[in-house]
Each structure stands twice: as C-alpha cells, then as structure tokens.
Amino acid sequence: RPVYFIKCVESLYKKYKIRGIMIGGGKNAHKMKNYIEKNHLPITVKDTMPHQEVIKNYFQFDILIFPSAVETFGLVGIEALYSHVPVVASAVGGKPDYMQDNINGLLFENDNVNDLIKKTEMLILDKDKLNAMSSIARKSVESYSNEQVAKEIFDMYKRVLESKA
C-alpha cells in the first residue's frame, strides 16, 4: 500500500520538514506520481531498480515505512534493519516474526493509516528512541543472514538424515 506511505508523508511533512523516497510503486505508480506532483509532496519516486541498488538506498533513510497489507515474510524489513534503519511496519505476514515492537521498530494496526502516522510521528519526535532502535536494528536480524539460514537448513537436513540411519 504505497498510498499509506504517501498519506503518512503528506500528514507529517509540513510539521517536521520530512521527505520521503518511494521505490517502485506497482500498477498504480503513475497515479501516485501524479498525486505527489499535484500536491507538491516532498517524495522522490524512483522506478523499480536492481536489488543491490535498493539496498544502497536504505542508508539514506532514518525510518523505513513498510505498510504492505499482504506479506509472506517481508525481506524489505530485514534488509532495512540490517542497514541500521528502524522499521514502521503493518503487523501482517511474517513481519511480526522479526519485528520487535518498540525495540527495532514499531508495528501499526493493519488497515489503519492513522496508526501508521502516529507511530511514525513518535519516532520523529523521540530521537533517543529512534537512535536506540537504529543501534539494535542490525543485531536484531543477524540470525536471518544467508550464512545463518543456510547453516540452520544444513543442520536440519543433517538431523533428519541421522534419524533415518
């Protein structure tokens, strides 16, 4: 739901001088770009790009807003956290598995843009909380590294094979 991201920035930008970067946009990207331009919102829209380029963008962020309504796991959130960026995410799919509410980010109620705005504003206003979340973000998802996941899968197969012997 990129529209939630747009509404959040629109609600907070005049008060806090924030700006946003939106990568991709899906099938309604042209409508969203038109809305952003028409309303003079400080949102830079970047077209879909190679994965490595997306990851480089995380280092420009203070906060990642991850408002998707349907998400199986949500690798975007893991990547942002690994880049020391706290995440404000909808509490759907696998995101609550790695998101530690009030530790490495904030979870907002699905389908509640006002809760997203409130949680984002909380981090804008509380720099100490934002900095604390940034400092713990990477450590909170290290168990999701490729090496760690591969090791866990290897160990699981090994246990299964040993139990069959």
Side-chain angles (χ1 to χ4, degrees):
R1 286 178 299 204
V3 70
Y4 274 36
F5 169 76
I6 294 168
K7 291 294 183 187
C8 184
V9 172
E10 183 175 32
S11 175
L12 299 172
Y13 87 96
K14 286 182 184 173
K15 192 173 183 181
Y16 302 108
K17 305 293 185 222
I18 66 168
R19 59 186 177 83
I21 298 172
M22 187 170 76
I23 300 171
K27 63 183 178 182
N28 293 317
H30 67 283
K31 288 181 186 176
M32 288 180 277
K33 284 180 185 180
N34 288 341
Y35 183 86
I36 290 165
E37 289 172 15
K38 177 182 167 198
N39 291 285
H40 308 289
L41 299 177
I43 298 173
T44 301
V45 180
K46 297 185 176 190
D47 292 327
T48 302
M49 60 183 72
H51 187 251
Q52 289 303 319
E53 292 300 312
V54 173
I55 291 172
K56 288 178 186 176
N57 277 272
Y58 293 141
F59 294 99
Q60 297 178 48
F61 303 163
D62 294 319
I63 302 167
L64 176 84
I65 297 174
F66 191 16
S68 57
V70 178
E71 197 71 51
T72 53
F73 182 68
L75 189 57
V76 168
I78 296 264
E79 292 168 342
L81 291 168
Y82 197 77
S83 302
H84 299 282
V85 178
V87 177
V88 179
S90 53
V92 298
K95 290 183 272 187
D97 292 342
Y98 61 83
M99 288 288 307
Q100 299 165 328
D101 198 29
N102 280 308
I103 305 293
N104 62 3
L106 298 170
L107 294 168
F108 72 91
E109 296 172 22
N110 192 33
D111 293 327
N112 187 339
V113 73
N114 291 324
D115 194 36
L116 166 62
I117 293 166
K118 181 178 117 187
K119 300 282 173 78
T120 304
E121 185 173 30
M122 182 188 315
L123 288 182
I124 291 169
L125 291 173
D126 192 342
K127 295 294 184 202
D128 290 337
K129 181 182 259 322
L130 179 66
N131 291 335
M133 287 180 177
S134 293
S135 68
I136 197 168
R138 180 180 220 144
K139 185 109 178 106
S140 73
V141 293
E142 284 179 346
S143 64
Y144 292 95
S145 71
N146 289 339
E147 295 81 12
Q148 184 63 32
V149 171
K151 181 187 177 315
E152 289 176 20
I153 291 170
F154 177 80
D155 290 346
M156 179 184 67
Y157 278 117
K158 186 177 174 185
R159 284 192 306 273
V160 168
L161 291 172
E162 287 172 352
S163 72
K164 302 265 183 197

